[in-house]
Amino acid sequence: MTYAIDPELLPWLDMLPAVTLTDHESLLAARSSMAQLRDVVPGYEPAPPVDVRDTAVPGPSDAPDVPVRVYSPAGRSAALPGLLYIHGGGFVMGDLDTFEAHLLRLVDELGIVVVSVDYRLAPEHPFPAPVEDCYAALSWVAAKADELGIDPARLGVAGESAGGGLSAAVALLARDRGGPQLCFQYLGIPELDDRLDTPSMRAYTDTPVWNRPNAVYSWTSYLGAEPGGPDVSPYAAPARAADLSGLPPAFVTTCQFDPLRDEGIAYAQRLAHAGVPVELRHYPGTFHGSSMVETAGVSRRMFADELDALRRGLGVTG
């Protein structure tokens, strides 16, 4: 198919990582390609100093500790809003380095504490390992809020792509387990529904970066079984959740030529119907991951909207 992609994005298509997921060999190649993103995406030097430290937090029961990276504004004197950040990568790719420039910029612009999670990846570690790692990290952040300089009343969760789906799942777990109280959830281009039956998922088989064949591989790896079965947990695929009431306010983004588009829109609609305050932003001419082209006007709008959403959702002042 041909797509009316934003003209500012078109020149970059050949420079973005080509992700084709068909088997384990292709996954290893895609992981290597994603690791090279640091050579494509510009780094970021925060104006005020940001303290960055790596540590490990207690993992789920009978599981390894979970590596996390903590970003804190240097010289803070009062408790700040906190954000648990969950990286994307289709449940099968990504690590703490993948989105470091983005997180440094968030800390610089917003003056918040960010804790990024290096959860275990599928298919080596299928559901529930990734989401349980993320929930363990959230529990640690809440328990260590004073030590981390976080105001526990202003703690949110955020992620993009698979990280957006995992963020939605963590919000469901926190509600259902009576866990840490979240004030906000940012669901960027989220991967939410293993049933793969929306119009955008059926149609977009050859879109840049992410497409239906990749989504099939992603969900098969994450579930350890064929997607779309009758007994998939809502903590794996949040679109399966029957009840979305009582969840924290949400901000959901979608891209036009993205197979995940319609499941993000549907989830935002269901949140609204359940009485959850939710905003939905849809960006024309974009595709999954197109925000990596930071110079494009639409990418600048996307980042400005993210900043504004986090500022309001986390109660950032000043």
Side-chain angles (χ1 to χ4, degrees):
M1 294 177 63
T2 57
Y3 305 100
I5 292 172
D6 187 298
E8 289 187 273
L9 300 174
L10 283 174
W12 294 85
L13 285 179
D14 291 339
M15 287 178 274
L16 294 174
V19 179
T20 302
L21 299 176
T22 56
D23 53 24
H24 193 66
E25 184 176 343
S26 67
L27 172 59
L28 295 179
R31 286 175 175 171
S32 176
S33 177
M34 194 166 186
Q36 294 168 10
L37 271 178
R38 293 185 295 275
D39 299 328
V40 178
V41 178
Y44 185 80
E45 288 294 334
V50 173
D51 294 329
V52 181
R53 67 180 179 95
D54 289 349
T55 188
V57 308
S61 178
D62 299 321
D65 288 351
V66 181
V68 299
R69 182 168 294 167
V70 182
Y71 301 81
S72 306
R76 65 184 186 275
S77 57
L80 301 174
L83 185 69
L84 181 76
Y85 185 84
I86 306 174
H87 70 73
F91 307 116
V92 297
M93 299 177 288
D95 57 28
L96 291 176
D97 295 327
T98 309
F99 296 92
E100 170 141 312
H102 184 73
L103 299 184
L104 284 169
R105 192 173 178 190
L106 290 182
V107 175
D108 191 15
E109 297 272 2
L110 298 173
I112 62 176
V113 177
V114 173
V115 179
S116 180
V117 191
D118 194 15
Y119 56 89
R120 288 170 290 172
L121 299 176
E124 295 89 346
H125 303 283
F127 174 82
V131 70
E132 290 291 356
D133 283 357
C134 295
Y135 186 76
L138 174 66
S139 300
W140 177 82
V141 171
K144 300 290 186 179
D146 286 346
E147 180 181 323
L148 294 168
I150 290 175
D151 177 358
R154 293 185 291 166
L155 175 60
V157 63
E160 293 203 357
S161 190
L166 287 164
S167 295
V170 164
L172 286 167
L173 282 171
R175 180 197 66 179
D176 296 345
R177 292 178 177 176
Q181 188 73 30
L182 291 169
C183 70
F184 184 64
Q185 52 179 327
Y186 177 90
L187 312 180
I189 52 174
E191 187 171 5
L192 299 160
D193 196 344
D194 71 296
R195 292 167 292 193
L196 307 172
D197 62 357
T198 66
S200 62
M201 183 58 72
R202 291 195 299 268
Y204 295 151
T205 60
D206 60 351
T207 37
V209 180
W210 201 248
N211 50 49
R212 179 184 176 86
N214 285 346
V216 172
Y217 184 90
S218 168
W219 279 109
T220 302
S221 299
Y222 186 41
L223 299 176
E226 288 296 315
D231 300 317
V232 173
S233 168
Y235 307 126
R240 299 269 197 155
D243 178 14
L244 299 183
S245 63
L247 290 170
F251 190 93
V252 183
T253 70
T254 58
C255 290
Q256 183 173 2
F257 302 115
D258 182 353
L260 305 182
R261 180 192 68 204
D262 295 343
E263 62 201 68
I265 292 171
Y267 198 74
Q269 289 176 321
R270 291 188 57 219
L271 285 168
H273 190 67
V276 176
V278 58
E279 291 184 60
L280 171 67
R281 296 289 170 88
H282 175 70
Y283 298 97
T286 57
F287 52 88
H288 194 86
S290 63
S291 61
M292 288 184 286
V293 184
E294 295 179 358
T295 57
V298 66
S299 299
R300 294 196 299 270
R301 292 196 302 275
M302 292 173 78
F303 183 67
D305 288 345
E306 180 180 0
L307 284 178
D308 181 63
L310 290 171
R311 185 175 286 113
R312 291 182 289 111
L314 298 177
V316 175
T317 58

